[in-house]
Amino acid sequence: MQTNGADQQRGHVLLIAGDVASRRRTVQVEPSANLAALAIVPTPVLLGSNVPSDTTYLDGIRDQNALLMRLRTAAATPGPLLVYLSGRLTADRRQQLHLALPGSTTSTTRYTALPWEWLGAELRTRPAGLTTILLDLAADKHAWPLLQEYGTLPDTASAETYGVIAPPGFPGSHGASTYTRHWIEQLRLNPDRPASSRLHALTVGSAALPPGTFIIPAAPEITAPVPRPPVSNLQRLLAGDTSLLQRLPGRRQPEPEPQRRPDEIPWDEAITYELPPGAHQRVPDVDRTVQAESRTVPVPQQAPQQQVPPRPSPPVAAPVPQPAPASAYQYPAPVPVPQPVPVAQPPAPPVQPDPRPHIHELAAAGRFHEAAQLAQAWEQHTLHAYGVDSPQATQWTEIRADLAKMEGRWLLATQLWVAAGRTRLAHQAPDAPEVMAAATSAHYCWAMIPTPRDAIACAPELISLLRALPSLDRRHVATAQERLQYLHAATGGR
């Protein structure tokens, strides 16, 4: 559903939060937290298009007819459309699947929930390739047998459907659910938004989904990108295409060998080599080059010349060695040279190992309390060694914030990220990547705070930090203000 917006009209994003999926007082999927996490993602990134678009948040809607009208309005959008559904999937007494809305019960499902067939009917008339349905659902005990019987959800003809449906009874996570959280993370890791099928595959591969989760579509149905054929001549040769050598322009063809006359003797047969007698015997320790030189070529014979024997030279007496005098072996005594007195060097301070890999291993093993204590101890050490506003201390503040985020302590993570962003902003430019990353991380963690009172308490500092960054997307400030107004309205202004 990626479009460039040159010839497309206005798009739309419809985010629907159904009923909370819970079992035995354990929350499995919290739709409100999922919508809050998606609210910080820019609309063009959600939609995968740069066309002008609108976003509609339906959190806590109870009337199925009102929801149908919103769905019908979104389906009438001529441009790209994204419909996100999160909550509990149930079934009525007629074995029809529904998205349960707040207040839906087993006896009132048919009149208070959104039938799945309504969704397919409203989107059926849309052009192909412009509609995407994203699901993050948990089935209850009434819908799960139907899913096992069907194997998947009923098909929507003109829409591409991606998502997961968790089985009943699994323990959920605090805040945003696993699939939605990793879907947002993949958007962050891939600045050039991949296609919806590729994004879904990356999310499923990175998220630890509960056993038995329905993945829509299943992994074999996701089309993998087709490898591009080799384009250069070198790539074609490496791919095994040797026919290219015969088609290369300007390639010289081998010239035909000229025919030889009958009376012509080949050049390699014009000279015959003869070995002297005894050359076939093996001569020990003779190099092959010497053997090659022993080959003779027959030459015209000449008359032998008389050799004159050389005159013997008179014998020369060999010198007799004389013993050297005793004084010749006496060397002067060495003069003692004063050696420098070694100066005791102070021992080098021991090199401290980097504690960050160990802290990461503790956090990955679920030992968040030990990791947080160790990170806080190192933060205190850097505060005393380098100062409060030092880059070393700020890095440890960010490490503590990341640990709190991994543990799900969203309030603490927000406060630490805001503090790190303020410290970096005092020493770095507002458009520095570290400052921008701290601000966006603080906004993300703030959107995940489940308690409205805590979110309202730390909202002013967050919004002040976001406003201090002119290069940041201004939709961050608008989204934070809208959520703050919603929280004030939900709590009655308290």
Side-chain angles (χ1 to χ4, degrees):
M1 199 181 64
Q2 290 180 320
T3 56
N4 55 12
D7 55 352
Q8 296 291 333
Q9 301 184 25
R10 199 170 189 88
H12 196 91
V13 176
L14 179 60
L15 307 178
I16 303 175
D19 190 20
V20 177
S22 60
R23 181 177 176 84
R24 296 179 181 178
R25 300 181 182 179
T26 301
V27 177
Q28 299 172 294
V29 174
E30 190 173 355
S32 299
N34 290 341
L35 261 63
L38 291 172
I40 67 174
V41 182
T43 302
V45 179
L46 285 176
L47 195 59
S49 174
N50 294 324
V51 301
S53 55
D54 304 312
T55 304
T56 302
Y57 299 88
L58 298 180
D59 188 2
I61 188 170
R62 293 175 174 267
D63 188 0
Q64 64 173 186
N65 293 320
L67 177 57
L68 177 62
M69 295 304 297
R70 294 296 187 97
L71 179 62
R72 189 168 296 172
T73 302
T77 302
L81 172 64
L82 171 65
V83 180
Y84 173 82
L85 302 174
S86 179
R88 175 170 61 93
L89 186 67
T90 186
D92 60 5
R93 296 178 178 177
R94 296 185 178 182
Q95 304 298 308
Q96 299 294 329
L97 295 175
H98 292 67
L99 174 65
L101 302 179
S104 298
T105 61
T106 304
S107 58
T108 63
T109 298
R110 184 181 178 187
Y111 308 101
T112 59
L114 175 66
W116 182 262
E117 60 181 8
W118 286 12
L119 183 65
E122 296 300 329
L123 302 178
R124 185 178 297 115
T125 58
R126 286 186 51 80
L130 292 180
T131 309
T132 302
I133 301 176
L134 189 63
L135 306 175
D136 192 350
L137 306 172
D140 60 10
K141 61 181 181 180
H142 304 289
W144 188 249
L146 295 178
L147 289 176
Q148 291 181 320
E149 179 181 354
Y150 298 154
T152 183
L153 286 172
D155 186 24
T156 52
S158 61
E160 300 177 1
T161 305
Y162 305 98
V164 294
I165 304 177
F170 76 95
S173 58
H174 297 286
S177 55
T178 303
Y179 180 81
T180 299
R181 185 170 64 252
H182 283 80
W183 193 79
I184 297 174
E185 287 293 334
Q186 292 300 326
L187 289 177
R188 293 188 177 195
L189 297 176
N190 298 272
D192 297 334
R193 187 189 188 279
S196 297
S197 59
R198 177 65 177 168
L199 183 61
H200 172 69
L202 293 173
T203 304
V204 172
S206 61
L209 300 175
T213 300
F214 271 93
I215 300 175
I216 303 173
E221 300 177 16
I222 301 175
T223 57
V226 180
R228 298 177 58 187
V231 291
S232 64
N233 292 338
L234 178 59
Q235 289 177 335
R236 296 177 64 180
L237 290 174
L238 294 178
D241 186 6
T242 57
S243 61
L244 176 65
L245 299 176
Q246 305 297 331
R247 300 194 301 269
L248 288 178
R251 175 177 171 84
R252 297 184 57 184
Q253 299 295 334
E255 299 180 358
E257 183 179 357
Q259 296 182 357
R260 191 171 56 192
R261 299 192 304 271
D263 57 346
E264 182 181 359
I265 302 176
W267 68 271
D268 54 348
E269 300 177 1
I271 302 176
T272 59
Y273 296 87
E274 297 181 0
L275 296 178
H280 63 278
Q281 298 179 359
R282 182 177 180 181
V283 181
D285 299 334
V286 178
D287 192 20
R288 295 181 180 178
T289 58
V290 180
Q291 294 180 6
E293 293 178 358
S294 64
R295 302 176 182 179
T296 59
V297 180
V299 294
Q301 300 291 333
Q302 296 181 359
Q305 299 179 0
Q306 184 178 2
Q307 297 182 357
V308 179
R311 296 177 61 184
S313 58
V316 180
V320 178
Q322 299 294 332
S327 60
Y329 296 96
Q330 295 179 0
Y331 297 97
V335 179
V337 179
Q339 299 294 333
V341 179
V343 180
Q345 298 291 338
V351 180
Q352 297 180 351
D354 189 1
R356 288 174 294 183
H358 179 59
I359 294 176
H360 178 74
E361 292 178 0
L362 292 176
R367 301 161 63 181
F368 297 106
H369 182 67
E370 301 178 28
Q373 284 186 338
L374 187 58
Q376 189 173 8
W378 274 95
E379 183 186 24
Q380 295 298 324
H381 170 71
T382 54
L383 288 176
H384 292 292
Y386 304 100
V388 178
D389 296 339
S390 62
Q392 294 84 351
T394 307
Q395 290 178 2
W396 280 107
T397 303
E398 294 173 345
I399 291 175
R400 290 184 57 204
D402 201 17
L403 291 174
K405 173 186 172 183
M406 295 174 62
E407 191 178 358
R409 302 173 64 184
W410 304 110
L411 177 59
L412 177 60
T414 303
Q415 296 171 346
L416 292 174
W417 277 120
V418 170
R422 281 294 180 186
T423 305
R424 287 194 176 276
L425 186 60
H427 302 279
Q428 297 179 254
D431 58 347
E434 295 83 0
V435 180
M436 305 280 283
T440 53
S441 299
H443 191 186
Y444 172 78
C445 295
W446 178 75
M448 306 297 293
I449 297 177
T451 307
R453 182 177 301 177
D454 296 338
I456 293 174
C458 59
E461 296 182 1
L462 171 68
I463 296 177
S464 176
L465 175 62
L466 296 177
R467 287 177 175 174
L469 306 179
S471 301
L472 189 66
D473 192 344
R474 306 314 301 171
R475 283 173 292 193
H476 282 278
V477 179
T479 303
Q481 290 177 339
E482 291 178 2
R483 184 169 187 259
L484 182 59
Q485 294 176 359
Y486 171 79
L487 293 175
H488 279 296
T491 56
R494 296 190 299 270

